Amino acid sequence: MTVPRGLLDGPIYLDYNATTPIDPAVTESMLPYLTAEFGNPSSTHHYGRESRIALDHARDQVAALLGTSAERIVFTGSGSEADNLAIRGTVLASGVGRPHVITQPTEHPAVLQACEALRRWHNAEVTFLPVDSDGLVDPADLTAAISPRTVLVSVMAANNETGALQPIDDLARVSREYGVVFHTDAAQAIGKIPFDATELDLVTVVGHKIYAPKGIGALCIWPGVPLEPLVYGGGQEHGLRAGTENVALAVALGTAAELTAKDLASGGHDRIRELRDRLHHQLTTALPGRVHLNGPDTARLPNTLNISIDGIAGHELLDATTAIAASTGSACHSGNHQPSPVLTAMGMPGERGLSALRLSLGRWSTAEQIDQAAHHIVAAAN
């Protein structure tokens, strides 16, 4: 497995939840569509047909990763666009005078801001379900919140900061019982764990979370779910996303999806889980009583370790070592650091929230790197 050049000489990369390096095989797959294969996939001549074949194949590859059919896949320019198409598209297509949307407070800003815009401009009512100390939604709370005006429920599959895995199947089942469209932003889950979109109405897929370039995503849509497009035009992508398709990036996403499916089938996520737990064990052993896990112990992504270390803020720890690249999740405004909104919604005290450190592993993480990273984190914490 070829290591991307960008990882060879830099610090130990432990920020795979922020973005993943592009797999060299993905880069190679897209190059022909940046050079010789330049055709418009809507053209009927030779050049267009070659691009159309490549686009259709990429759609097949993404669908296979999700365990569904290619006609459900609509390519988008990002995960945020897919979220907006799902949320705004569902609400505007519903025809309900004062539509009701249900979500929860630890969502990605693309979801939260889309809901806020609907409230501001389209008279929508938005309900935020509470989360427990692990950041999880109770399906019973969803049942209680649904009203005759509810048109959409949007709950992410996995949290980007803690890795918490929401009970998506149960939440989707409740939504289905009441005839409400269910959307999940699965940006963090897809590729890290086996994911089946067969029974889900709307699923967001993000390329740069699965070793494809930035600027490509997809929305997986259940047949018959009505959506109002975000972009009007020539009818591309089943009429839901106008604009000549970016064949090169679609090919990249398709290749990344196929590689990801093979990695999951071979147990790659189990290898990463072992490395994550190795890192956690080394930190708790070297810093007894000071390391606290944020989020669920078991119901989380296999690559994600969010911890707070007593006695040092997360940003101070990262400032103290240039040997690792990770993130805190805290926000900095004019030099004033604030705890992550995700951890705050989980009821976490401010000091512990400011001490949070998100360490996320990926395809090129090794045991040697994990041991080195533990050493540097412990040294910085002391």
Side-chain angles (χ1 to χ4, degrees), residues 5-347:
R5 289 176 57 188
L7 292 178
L8 294 178
D9 301 318
I12 298 167
Y13 191 64
L14 293 175
D15 208 14
Y16 281 84
N17 283 9
T19 195
T20 55
I22 303 174
D23 192 299
V26 171
T27 302
E28 184 178 357
S29 73
M30 68 186 288
L31 287 178
Y33 302 94
L34 295 171
T35 53
E37 303 295 346
F38 60 87
N40 185 328
S42 296
S43 299
T44 57
H45 50 61
H46 165 80
Y47 298 100
R49 286 195 300 273
E50 292 301 312
S51 291
R52 172 56 59 186
I53 291 170
L55 190 66
D56 290 344
H57 181 56
R59 213 181 301 276
D60 288 337
Q61 290 170 306
V62 175
L65 176 62
L66 302 180
T68 188
S69 54
E71 60 267 20
R72 292 183 60 186
I73 305 301
V74 167
F75 290 118
T76 64
S78 66
S80 293
E81 183 190 329
D83 283 343
N84 277 265
L85 175 58
I87 295 167
R88 181 182 177 277
T90 298
V91 170
L92 295 190
S94 71
V96 174
R98 187 157 189 248
H100 179 220
V101 177
I102 299 174
T103 186
Q104 50 97 28
T106 68
E107 288 293 320
H108 188 277
V111 171
L112 298 177
Q113 292 301 315
C115 291
E116 169 59 21
L118 289 168
R119 184 196 65 76
R120 203 165 57 243
W121 295 106
H122 298 286
N123 199 34
E125 178 188 355
V126 182
T127 295
F128 295 92
L129 300 176
V131 295
D132 63 17
S133 59
D134 283 335
L136 300 178
V137 170
D138 186 341
D141 289 335
L142 173 58
T143 301
I146 290 177
S147 77
R149 291 185 292 104
T150 306
V151 298
L152 177 72
V153 174
S154 182
V155 177
M156 65 182 2
N159 186 264
N160 51 300
E161 293 187 29
T162 66
L165 296 172
Q166 295 287 359
I168 291 301
D169 290 341
D170 293 335
L171 297 171
R173 192 176 303 114
V174 170
S175 301
R176 194 177 304 114
E177 288 173 359
Y178 286 87
V180 175
V181 174
F182 182 80
H183 165 248
T184 187
D185 180 338
Q188 293 293 344
I190 292 170
K192 298 184 178 77
I193 56 173
F195 190 91
D196 187 353
T198 305
E199 298 298 322
L200 300 174
D201 294 327
L202 298 167
V203 179
T204 292
V205 183
V206 180
H208 77 100
K209 306 297 187 183
I210 58 169
Y211 310 96
K214 302 162 188 66
I216 184 68
L219 185 65
C220 179
I221 305 168
W222 183 261
V225 171
L227 292 176
E228 182 70 14
L230 292 179
V231 182
Y232 305 101
Q236 293 89 348
E237 296 301 300
H238 311 306
L240 291 174
R241 208 269 185 174
T244 302
E245 298 93 341
N246 191 326
V247 178
L249 287 183
V251 167
L253 179 58
T255 303
E258 185 171 314
L259 292 173
T260 294
K262 292 177 179 177
D263 186 57
L264 288 168
S266 65
H269 54 306
D270 294 325
R271 181 189 73 85
I272 291 175
R273 181 186 291 107
E274 291 174 0
L275 291 177
R276 178 203 67 186
D277 293 344
R278 177 182 183 131
L279 177 58
H280 192 192
H281 174 73
Q282 291 189 25
L283 294 176
T284 54
T285 300
L287 301 168
R290 292 179 61 190
V291 179
H292 309 281
L293 178 66
N294 301 323
D297 182 23
T298 55
R300 63 184 159 121
L301 294 172
N303 81 314
T304 305
L305 178 63
N306 190 305
I307 54 172
S308 292
I309 301 177
D310 291 341
I312 186 168
H315 68 276
E316 293 174 348
L317 190 149
L318 292 180
D319 288 344
T321 176
T322 59
I324 64 169
S327 65
T328 64
S330 65
C332 181
H333 303 286
S334 301
N336 179 29
H337 288 268
Q338 299 293 326
S340 153
V342 170
L343 301 182
T344 300
M346 292 162 54

